[in-house]
Amino acid sequence: MCDTMLVLGSLTRDGRSYFAKNSDREPNEAQYLTRVEAATHAPDARVRATYIDLPQVGRTHACLGSRPWWIWGFEHGVNEHGLTIGNEAVWSRLPAGAGPNLLGMDLLRLTLERACDADEGLEVLTGLIEAHGQGGAAALTREMVYHNAFLLADGRTGWVVESAGRHWVAKRVTGWATISNVYSIGSDYDRISDRAEAFATAQGWHEAGTPFDWARAYTDTTRANLPSCRARLAMSRAKVEGLPKGEIGLGEMIEVLRDHGDAADWSPGGDGQACVCMHGVRADLGSETAASMIVALPAQPDAPREIWASLASPCLSGFIPLWLDCDLPHDWTQPEEITDPDQWWDIERLQRLIEPDYISHASALRAQFNGMIHKARAELALAQNADSATRNVITQRTARAYREIVDAALQDHADRPQSPDARGPYLADLNRAIPRTTRSVREALALHPSHP
């Protein structure tokens, strides 16, 4: 489960395009920042994704992404040329393949490594889909397979791409777009794979001779979670559509990612799966927001891309600034061993302490993170056109402030009695099943291509 959105520069305050995504995953699935350096490869080189290997290209681009701890690919990311992509799980009448193949996250990372902009990204991504298809277990502790939708962006344009097996459809973004875990492209597509319509017609999903509607033809209407997926798409669309055009910037995009709807007294409960900022309700079913990213994309291809990353649910977290040419905070990357610093699990533990008393404590924590963000933005404003060394100082200083907020809050909440959780045994069930999410465990899993 995820929500991804793009506002092009013609509608923003500073002329930059803003990409934003919440990555919603299994509640105990840690997610870490990963940077990949540019590289050249031998003609016969191959690259290993989560389950399969495939031919490598001669040159791959540097990129930075957010990666579920056991997966090779990215939930969202950006490369050195400014191409930025997020993906979504979608479900089709065409069954998704359970056998080892490319996950949507793998397709995303491969495209970042191989394409320079959104237009080239469309060609690379759809070429991979047609050549290899997609599939494989997309969750570690549950049975879950799905097809994928993607939002590709650069500083000038964007594409929504939706797929089913090796079929796909694409629509160019005009102004703004949001996508969620449901097909949204109807008959208003700009590109479509060669046999998508013919295949749907042969299956009886489309009547020949009538305008072809991708979503109507391919959507699996029997999915139990379809109403909540549609609700989140409607929520993100309403939120972005309601933003003041010409005044949209980082702060507005953060608020979209933190959205729970209109209720002033909202707290985690039965409707958590229908919110853009997603909170889990059952340990064995559903998702919660595991990580978020906002990327400010200038139209100039040589200008730095400003990346803002957050861990866990954004309503109980803050965003720190990053750049591809700066060091990642060490505790935001995957730990080698269980004793290494791990900011994802620190903020996740804090979230689990606060959620039962959300109304009493969430706003105060959020205010501290907002102050941290405001200070980082003020430093950036004073350091316009700063070199990478100066930007790196701001990144590390903000990450340190984030760590101090979390550590102090953990200490403050550790001994407080908790109120009963409206979700019953949810948190206790999660805490009994916390996995080791270290690099060494991931490497052991990768030795078995059929896993899980």
Side-chain angles (χ1 to χ4, degrees), residues 318-335:
F319 289 77
I320 69 168
L322 305 165
W323 292 266
L324 264 82
D325 60 353
C326 294
D327 296 331
L328 294 178
H330 179 65
D331 54 356
W332 287 55
T333 64
Q334 187 166 18

Side-chain angles (χ1 to χ4, degrees), residues 366-409:
R366 194 159 51 244
Q368 291 185 68
F369 280 125
N370 285 345
M372 177 200 75
I373 296 168
H374 178 78
K375 184 175 181 180
R377 295 180 71 183
E379 290 186 75
L380 290 174
L382 293 173
Q384 289 187 13
N385 303 315
D387 59 18
S388 62
T390 302
R391 288 187 269 110
N392 190 58
V393 169
I394 296 172
T395 291
Q396 302 305 322
R397 184 182 295 146
T398 309
R400 192 161 51 249
Y402 184 105
R403 190 179 312 119
E404 291 169 354
I405 292 170
V406 173
D407 289 348

Side-chain angles (χ1 to χ4, degrees), residues 391-449:
R391 288 187 269 110
N392 190 58
V393 169
I394 296 172
T395 291
Q396 302 305 322
R397 184 182 295 146
T398 309
R400 192 161 51 249
Y402 184 105
R403 190 179 312 119
E404 291 169 354
I405 292 170
V406 173
D407 289 348
L410 278 170
Q411 184 175 0
D412 182 46
H413 286 273
D415 298 325
R416 287 189 182 187
Q418 285 189 323
S419 301
D421 190 346
R423 299 165 295 182
Y426 168 68
L427 291 175
D429 290 345
L430 284 186
N431 291 333
R432 280 194 296 268
I434 291 176
R436 294 178 63 191
T437 59
T438 62
R439 188 178 300 275
S440 58
V441 175
R442 175 183 176 269
E443 290 171 352
L445 291 174
L447 296 175
H448 305 281

Side-chain angles (χ1 to χ4, degrees), residues 12-279:
T12 67
R13 184 182 301 114
D14 57 16
R16 295 184 293 182
S17 296
Y18 280 84
F19 167 99
K21 181 185 173 183
N22 277 349
S23 168
D24 307 325
R25 302 286 301 179
E26 292 180 74
N28 271 338
E29 188 183 77
Q31 197 165 139
Y32 301 106
L33 293 176
T34 301
R35 185 173 62 192
V36 180
E37 301 298 337
T40 56
H41 306 277
D44 59 348
R46 299 184 70 82
V47 56
R48 174 76 186 187
T50 302
Y51 294 122
I52 68 169
D53 66 329
L54 63 157
Q56 183 58 283
V57 295
R59 173 75 178 172
T60 51
H61 309 305
C63 54
L64 186 157
S66 190
R67 181 177 56 76
W69 73 271
W70 61 278
I71 288 173
W72 179 82
F74 295 156
E75 277 282 305
H76 43 249
V78 57
N79 74 13
E80 62 183 300
H81 303 288
L83 173 60
T84 307
I85 312 177
N87 84 302
E88 307 276 337
V90 287
W91 288 273
S92 168
R93 291 175 174 178
L94 174 65
N101 204 332
L102 292 174
L103 296 174
M105 290 72 75
D106 298 334
L107 289 163
L108 190 159
R109 176 171 167 178
L110 287 166
T111 303
L112 287 177
E113 291 185 356
R114 299 178 178 200
C116 290
D117 57 28
D119 287 344
E120 185 180 11
L122 173 66
E123 302 302 326
V124 170
L125 175 61
T126 56
L128 288 166
I129 290 171
E130 291 184 352
H132 302 282
Q134 55 191 304
L140 193 59
T141 64
R142 306 172 184 171
E143 292 186 6
M144 180 178 288
V145 293
Y146 49 72
H147 306 282
N148 289 271
F150 304 86
L151 183 53
L152 295 78
D154 56 34
R156 297 170 297 280
T157 190
W159 285 96
V160 173
V161 180
E162 297 176 351
S163 65
R166 296 175 189 246
H167 307 294
W168 58 270
V169 68
K171 179 181 177 181
R172 188 180 290 278
V173 176
T174 57
W176 61 271
T178 73
I179 61 173
S180 191
N181 302 109
V182 60
Y183 292 126
S184 60
I185 299 176
S187 300
D188 53 344
Y189 52 84
D190 295 296
R191 300 274 301 277
I192 191 168
S193 56
D194 289 342
R195 293 201 46 78
E197 181 175 351
F199 180 82
T201 303
Q203 302 302 310
W205 305 338
H206 169 66
E207 182 180 348
T210 63
F212 180 67
D213 185 308
W214 166 272
R216 183 178 299 141
Y218 278 91
T219 296
D220 178 3
T221 57
T222 68
R223 289 284 305 183
N225 66 346
L226 186 61
S228 66
C229 295
R230 285 176 167 165
R232 281 187 291 107
L233 179 62
M235 179 181 286
S236 65
R237 282 179 167 176
K239 193 75 173 181
V240 174
E241 188 173 31
L243 295 176
K245 304 305 181 283
E247 295 297 326
I248 301 170
L250 175 67
E252 288 72 23
M253 300 306 286
I254 290 175
E255 291 309 306
V256 173
L257 294 183
R258 287 174 167 173
D259 192 26
H260 299 125
D262 297 329
D265 59 348
W266 185 92
S267 62
D271 66 341
Q273 300 295 287
C275 298
V276 172
C277 183
M278 184 179 288
H279 293 255

